[in-house]
Amino acid sequence: SQQGEEDPQALSIQEGENATMNCSYKTSINNLQWYRQNSGRGLVHLILIRSNEREKHSGRLRVTLDTSKKSSSLLITASRAADTASYFCATDAASGTYKYIFGTGTRLKVLA
Amino acid sequence: GAVVSQHPSRVICKSGTSVKIECRSLDFQATTMFWYRQFPKQSLMLMATSNEGSKATYEQGVEKDKFLINHASLTLSTLTVTSAHPEDSSFYICSARDWGTAFNEKVFFGSGTQLSVL
């Protein structure tokens, strides 16, 4: 399969706790992006990290990238009930195909 | 920021009919658009790459005659699900790259179309 793998598949935490999701991919990439999707809706872009970057922050989000391990992580700090959603990583392969391939996703549930 | 408009957002049709979904880039030219399909509680699977003025490139396992893609202009790509059957019921979402930005990395997604075939 061309898809990347994400773990865990599902995560349930209490409000205020941190949530960490991991993404592994298979090929060399130009960049990796994280998206959020609320049930039955479109995608919301969260953050982009380029292949020459190791860490990026955006508000309560922290993304790391380890190209040697072909993996990335998304950390959401001080989670809120509104963070309940599915989270996907998407990779832009360096092969020049210009298409984004999505990971399997993590379903996050934040309990109030 | 750049916007991609997808229409309709929801469609219900009878088995055997064809359904057309439109994807428009509203404020940039998109020579390349992408079509994805998503089943409930699953990830987005890339179906095809739509190229303006040329044939679409389909991913392995996607039926070309079933999912017709037309990209006749720099701002519009259409996906037609021909002779739809209940197993075609799914969430379809398009995306477009804004090649005008540095690194050509910007990609924008439509809001998706929920297709239900009765």
Side-chain angles (χ1 to χ4, degrees):
Chain A
S1 170
Q2 62 180 334
Q3 275 192 312
E5 297 288 328
E6 289 184 56
D7 77 272
Q9 291 187 0
L11 179 62
S12 185
I13 60 174
Q14 293 292 325
E15 205 166 29
E17 294 181 339
N18 296 341
T20 300
M21 290 158 266
N22 303 295
C23 165
S24 61
Y25 54 91
K26 299 178 180 178
T27 65
S28 296
I29 61 171
N30 292 318
N31 63 69
L32 182 147
Q33 306 198 41
W34 284 91
Y35 291 87
R36 183 184 75 217
Q37 184 183 38
N38 291 338
S39 181
R41 298 196 173 184
L43 297 171
V44 175
H45 179 262
L46 296 177
I47 200 164
L48 177 151
I49 187 165
R50 299 188 180 100
S51 60
N52 61 352
E53 297 175 316
R54 292 295 167 260
E55 187 172 312
K56 286 191 82 169
H57 297 257
S58 177
R60 293 185 295 114
L61 306 179
R62 172 177 170 255
V63 168
T64 63
L65 179 65
D66 187 335
T67 53
S68 66
K69 295 182 179 179
K70 291 186 170 61
S71 68
S72 174
S73 68
L74 170 67
L75 168 67
I76 303 175
T77 60
S79 63
R80 305 165 182 168
D83 295 328
T84 295
S86 291
Y87 292 82
F88 298 95
C89 67
T91 52
D92 177 15
S95 60
T97 57
Y98 311 119
K99 56 190 179 184
Y100 278 90
I101 303 299
F102 281 79
T104 50
T106 295
R107 294 193 306 279
L108 173 65
K109 187 170 186 178
V110 181
L111 304 172
Chain B
V3 176
V4 172
S5 173
Q6 187 172 341
H7 178 81
S9 59
R10 182 176 294 272
V11 57
I12 301 172
C13 69
K14 293 182 178 180
S15 185
T17 60
S18 294
V19 175
K20 181 184 285 188
I21 303 170
E22 293 187 348
C23 181
R24 293 180 185 274
S25 57
L26 297 185
D27 56 0
F28 66 97
Q29 293 182 337
T31 54
T32 307
M33 292 185 176
F34 305 91
W35 288 96
Y36 295 84
R37 180 176 184 177
Q38 184 181 35
F39 290 108
K41 296 186 178 181
Q42 294 189 24
S43 185
L44 286 77
M45 295 296 297
L46 180 64
M47 299 173 66
T49 302
S50 173
N51 304 298
E52 187 268 336
S54 65
K55 292 182 179 180
T57 305
Y58 290 82
E59 296 299 306
Q60 189 173 9
V62 178
E63 299 176 61
K64 300 178 182 181
D65 295 333
K66 176 72 172 176
F67 300 100
L68 299 179
I69 291 173
N70 184 278
H71 195 153
S73 78
L74 287 172
T75 59
L76 174 65
S77 175
T78 60
L79 168 68
T80 301
V81 183
T82 62
S83 187
H85 290 282
E87 57 266 30
D88 298 324
S89 298
S90 187
F91 188 66
Y92 294 87
I93 191 165
C94 68
S95 70
R97 293 191 78 133
D98 183 358
W99 291 103
T101 59
F103 300 105
N104 300 323
E105 62 198 12
K106 291 290 186 180
V107 61
F108 301 92
F109 284 84
S111 54
T113 297
Q114 182 63 52
L115 171 63
S116 299
V117 184
L118 304 178

